[in-house]
Each structure stands twice: as C-alpha cells, then as structure tokens.
Amino acid sequence: MSSTLKSLRALSDPTRLRIVALLEKDEISVNELQEVTRLGQSRISTHLGLLADCKLVTARRDGKRTFYKLNPQADDVASEFIQLAIRGAKELPEQASDQINLKRVLNRRREKAEVYFNQIAGRFDRVYGPGRSWQAFGHLLLRMLPPITVADLGAGEGLLSELLARRCKKVIAVDNSEKIVAFGAAKAKKNGLKNLEFRQGDLQTPPIEANSVDLVILSQSLHHAEDPAAALASSAKLLKPNGQILILDLLRHNFDKAHELYGDRWLGFAESDLHRWLEAAGFRKIEISIVAAEEQPPHFQTILASGEKL
Ligand SMILES: C[S@@+](CC[C@H](N)C(=O)[O-])C[C@H]1O[C@@H](n2cnc3c(N)ncnc32)[C@H](O)[C@@H]1O
C-alpha cells in the first residue's frame, strides 16, 4: 500500500486524530496519553503503532516508558497529513476535555521536578546528585584552560599533571622521589600522554629552564620544602612574564603527627606568610583564600594562593 493511502487509512479513525492533536504540544508517554484520553493501554498502543508505521509519529524509549511525538522529520506529504489531522481533531467532541486533561498532565510532570528541587533547596550541595562530582566539575573547568606550558612541582605520581596534560601544550612534573617519578612516567606513557614529562629534582631548584612556563603549580608540596620562601622565588624564575602561580596547601595547623604520618616539614602556612613570600618573590595580584575545610578531625583547611609574575 502506498504511504499516502496508509496515512489516509490511519487518519480515518477519530481516536488517532485525537492522538495526533495531543502530540502537537509535547512528547507524551503512553501512560500519560491513557490518562488524558481515558482509553485502555493496548488500544492506545495499537493506534500509536499504526501512526508510527506511517511515519506520522516517532517513539523514544526512556527506561520502562515510551514517549511519542510528531515525527520531526516528516516529509511534506506527511506534514500535510499531520496538519489536516490536527484541524480535524478540533471538530471532535472530545477536543475540549482532551486539551484540559493534557494541560493537567503536563503541569503535573513539571511540578514533579520542581517539588524535588524545592525540597532540597538550601542543602543542594549536601545531597546526592546523580552524575554530579568534584571530578566532573574539575574536567569542566579544565576545558577552559588555554594550551599552556605548566610546571607541576612536587607532582607526586601525577594525579593533577595527567588531568592538565589532557588540555595543556606541555606539563613538566617535578618530584624528588626517584620511585614516584619512575611510576608517574610509566603511567603517563601507558595513558599515551606524550606531552607529560616527569623530571626528578627538588622543587627549590627545579630542573626547568628559566622563563619557559606559563603556570607553576604547587599542590600540597610547598609544606615539604626546606625553605618555602626560596621555593617560591625559584618558581618565579621559571615563569614567563605575566605567568601565574597557583598554590594549594594546608592552612597553618597544630596537628604535630603530620610530620610523622605524612612526612610534612611544615604544619601548613599562615595566609600572611604566603602573601609575604609571594610578594618578595616578585608576584603581584596576589589572592589567598581558604577553599575547603575537612569535617573530620584534625579539621585540615585547604588554602589556595595565586599570583602573577611582574
Ligand atoms: C603530598 S604529595 C602531593 C602530590 C601532588 N602534588 C598532589 O597534589 O596530589 C607531595 C609530593 O611532593 C614530593 N616532594 C617532597 N619534597 C619535595 C622536594 N623537596 N622537591 C620535590 N618534590 C618533593 C613528594 O615526593 C610527594 O610526591
């Protein structure tokens, strides 16, 4: 049977005209159509099957539900049939109640989502949100990075370096531990990150050419330096003019065991000390703030400091 004849036949039934008219505004699930039209599920499914067969409507599975909508890719002939069906449905006695019921069902669908978000308003960041994580936010923020050269000093096995290497032109990861450097380099190779280079060296005298990088990062490594002020002065030398430094470290704390447990040389830093050392190293536009606080004792707080090379 030609598609024109099939469509004419499909639209010869008033219920199918009603269904086409209902799908004009939004995509609707079989259950919702059932509620609007008060027809049984199997009858509706049969009608929808016929309409889909003529390519007047399309279906989308969403878990256990199937949503239907008017075919957005309908050709000229099918589009004409759809418009005729919508016009025809307006002359049916069920038109008014169908439209009222449809409005109610669609409103309730919207309200369901609103009710949920209204319930969690004010504690949004404390409740579970599917797919929402700091890791995902990190990836999103990374996309904003321009193609720069980064020195990650005291890089460890390269957790951050690897992330950065996915966006940056080049990342040089410096660490003084031979084993960590070997492990990090092997992992970078395995992950195909050719622009991530591990170098063994001290963060106070990094094995990196002066004036060669756009960004220096010291993530939880400055408190291992023998002389943090000297380390910041060395970092400044690596940077090109207007290059940036970013430091993540611990705010000054009294948890003595950190020496023994984590090999820390310094028990974090006061904001004023970091500010003074950065200024002395030739940085301007210095910004320092506490960006995280742990809920568990000893309640470490994370400090983020940044500056731009003069
Ligand atoms: C706490 S880890 C931080 C690793 C990484 N930056 C991060 O945020 O996950 C400190 C790292 O600094 C390295 N480190 C300690 N003293 C150093 C120094 N003087 N020069 C270079 N690296 C050092 C350690 O080997 C270790 O990998």
Side-chain angles (χ1 to χ4, degrees):
M1 201 187 297
S2 83
S3 63
T4 306
L5 277 181
K6 258 166 96 176
S7 298
L8 276 170
R9 205 169 150 198
L11 297 177
S12 65
D13 181 291
T15 305
R16 293 198 277 276
L17 295 187
R18 284 171 71 192
I19 291 175
V20 171
L22 286 168
L23 296 180
E24 189 190 5
K25 290 212 173 72
D26 213 328
E27 67 168 9
I28 309 177
S29 72
V30 177
N31 282 353
E32 288 168 335
L33 273 173
Q34 205 182 332
E35 200 180 329
V36 172
T37 59
R38 312 273 185 230
L39 295 168
Q41 189 183 339
S42 72
R43 270 187 75 193
I44 290 184
S45 296
T46 310
H47 288 310
L48 284 166
L50 266 163
L51 291 167
D53 207 31
C54 307
K55 301 200 168 42
L56 297 174
V57 305
T58 57
R60 175 178 73 86
R61 291 279 309 171
D62 182 40
K64 285 185 181 156
R65 298 175 304 177
T66 306
F67 283 89
Y68 283 86
K69 66 176 177 186
L70 297 180
N71 183 2
Q73 270 142 24
D75 60 19
D76 288 349
V77 179
S79 299
E80 227 172 293
F81 278 127
I82 288 170
Q83 289 315 313
L84 274 172
I86 293 169
R87 269 205 344 247
K90 287 194 176 129
E91 294 170 19
L92 293 171
E94 294 91 347
Q95 163 76 3
S97 61
D98 274 0
Q99 291 305 319
I100 290 169
N101 288 341
L102 176 64
K103 202 170 160 192
R104 194 170 40 79
V105 165
L106 292 180
N107 279 345
R108 204 185 47 218
R109 195 202 281 176
R110 269 175 224 120
E111 279 163 13
K112 237 184 189 170
E114 275 171 30
V115 163
Y116 169 71
F117 287 112
N118 282 339
Q119 270 171 358
I120 61 165
R123 52 190 182 93
F124 199 84
D125 56 349
R126 275 168 282 142
V127 298
Y128 167 73
R132 190 165 48 119
S133 66
W134 286 111
Q135 191 185 19
F137 285 145
H139 278 282
L140 177 143
L141 293 171
L142 271 173
R143 295 266 166 115
M144 290 157 60
L145 256 191
I148 53 173
T149 300
V150 179
D152 184 4
L153 306 182
E157 291 167 2
L159 199 64
L160 185 58
S161 293
E162 284 208 2
L163 272 176
L164 292 165
R166 289 172 206 279
R167 300 302 297 179
C168 293
K169 191 159 90 190
K170 184 169 175 75
V171 179
I172 305 166
V174 174
D175 204 282
N176 67 351
S177 157
E178 188 183 347
K179 271 194 174 170
I180 280 187
V181 166
F183 187 88
K187 194 150 72 81
K189 192 174 174 195
K190 193 174 139 219
N191 291 338
L193 296 166
K194 292 196 178 113
N195 59 340
L196 170 53
E197 188 189 335
F198 272 82
R199 295 182 191 171
Q200 193 186 349
D202 196 291
L203 59 83
Q204 241 166 272
T205 50
I208 299 176
E209 206 184 317
N211 284 308
S212 65
V213 306
D214 304 288
L215 174 66
V216 167
I217 292 179
L218 290 137
S219 167
Q220 301 305 342
S221 55
L222 192 62
H223 58 248
H224 292 286
E226 202 177 305
D227 182 346
L232 296 184
S234 304
S235 296
K237 290 195 184 110
L238 310 182
L239 286 166
K240 299 175 189 169
N242 303 321
Q244 305 273 334
I245 188 165
L246 287 174
I247 304 162
L248 276 175
D249 216 289
L250 296 176
L251 182 66
R252 176 98 195 133
H253 61 86
N254 296 317
F255 187 64
D256 253 330
K257 281 192 189 153
H259 293 302
E260 188 192 322
L261 287 175
Y262 312 119
D264 291 1
R265 196 181 288 253
W266 299 89
L267 297 180
F269 301 112
E271 288 158 286
S272 55
D273 284 337
L274 280 177
H275 200 283
R276 198 160 37 83
W277 297 333
L278 283 167
E279 218 167 40
F283 288 99
R284 60 181 175 183
K285 295 188 187 168
I286 297 166
E287 281 181 47
I288 302 178
S289 51
I290 294 163
V291 291
E294 292 180 14
E295 283 176 10
Q296 303 297 326
H299 304 289
F300 286 125
Q301 295 184 71
T302 305
I303 202 166
L304 171 63
S306 60
E308 187 180 293
K309 185 180 171 177
L310 277 173

